[in-house]
Amino acid sequence: MPGRPGTAAQARDLARDFLHALSPQPTPETTDTVLLVVSELVTNALRHAGGLTSLKLYAGKGTVDVVVRDPSATPPHERPADLKGASGGFGWPLVRHLAAEVAVTLSPPGGGKSIRATLAR
């Protein structure tokens, strides 16, 4: 499922539709986890990486992959968490905790990067 949503809410809606179309459907817990990872990765792309180039979701036999592309060549990194909520700092550690595997792939110069989070289905 490819797409280029303009907000994290739109990305969650696309992901929810994708997950509901799977057979068998993921458990409610898995759905919530995938939606949270989608939301965090899209929010990070919009907030820290110059925008969202694409969102793609793939379903394997036992996995769901969330792939977010953005125009920045700067890899994600942990930042101090802002407990007042102004600048975040929770998303990247949360994604790495929830996903079975996370890979960051830099594209050729000027091509940005993609982040793939693989979650158990």
Side-chain angles (χ1 to χ4, degrees):
M1 189 261 0
R4 188 173 173 193
T7 67
Q10 291 172 347
R12 286 190 302 273
D13 289 343
L14 289 170
R16 189 176 292 109
D17 291 345
F18 172 82
L19 294 169
H20 285 310
L22 296 179
S23 181
Q25 287 189 358
T27 66
E29 294 81 13
T30 297
T31 297
D32 288 346
T33 301
V34 171
L35 295 178
L36 182 54
V37 168
V38 165
S39 187
E40 291 298 333
L41 289 177
V42 169
T43 297
N44 286 351
L46 295 170
R47 182 182 278 184
H48 305 293
L52 179 68
T53 305
S54 69
L55 166 66
K56 295 182 181 179
L57 299 170
Y58 302 94
K61 185 173 182 178
T63 60
V64 174
D65 287 338
V66 177
V67 181
V68 171
R69 292 189 54 81
D70 65 54
S72 173
T74 303
H77 61 279
E78 287 194 35
R79 298 178 301 111
D82 179 1
L83 298 178
K84 295 182 182 179
S87 63
F90 298 97
W92 184 237
L94 184 61
V95 167
R96 289 185 13 246
H97 174 75
L98 293 172
E101 183 179 339
V102 177
V104 178
T105 304
L106 299 179
S107 298
K113 68 178 170 297
S114 65
I115 300 172
R116 176 184 296 266
T118 301
L119 298 108
R121 185 170 166 188

